[in-house]
Amino acid sequence: MNEQVLQCPYCWERITILVEEAMEGEWIEDCEVCCNPIHFKLSVRKDGSSDLHYERAQ
């Protein structure tokens, strides 16, 4: 499990989420500061590295 520090796309505060490879795919999680929904997308490559993209939920 990896801890990721991100900037909320609504309130611009720094937030922390826990990410693991088993979470590959898409999900929505509320900002721990402003409670607005954030859309996350995690892609895991064959070499084990991953890309986490996030944006305001529509």
Side-chain angles (χ1 to χ4, degrees):
M1 200 173 286
N2 295 321
E3 184 177 82
Q4 298 282 327
V5 178
L6 312 168
Q7 188 174 35
C8 173
Y10 294 96
C11 67
W12 306 108
E13 293 291 328
R14 291 173 58 128
I15 59 172
T16 303
I17 64 165
L18 295 175
V19 178
E20 60 181 275
E21 290 179 12
M23 295 172 66
E24 184 175 22
E26 298 182 38
W27 72 95
I28 293 178
E29 192 171 319
D30 290 342
C31 171
E32 60 193 32
V33 177
C34 69
C35 299
N36 282 302
I38 304 170
H39 177 243
F40 291 92
K41 183 176 181 180
L42 179 66
S43 302
V44 180
R45 296 187 198 98
K46 290 182 181 182
D47 67 2
S49 61
S50 61
D51 288 320
L52 178 65
H53 298 280
Y54 63 98
E55 62 187 6
R56 291 179 176 207
Q58 303 281 334

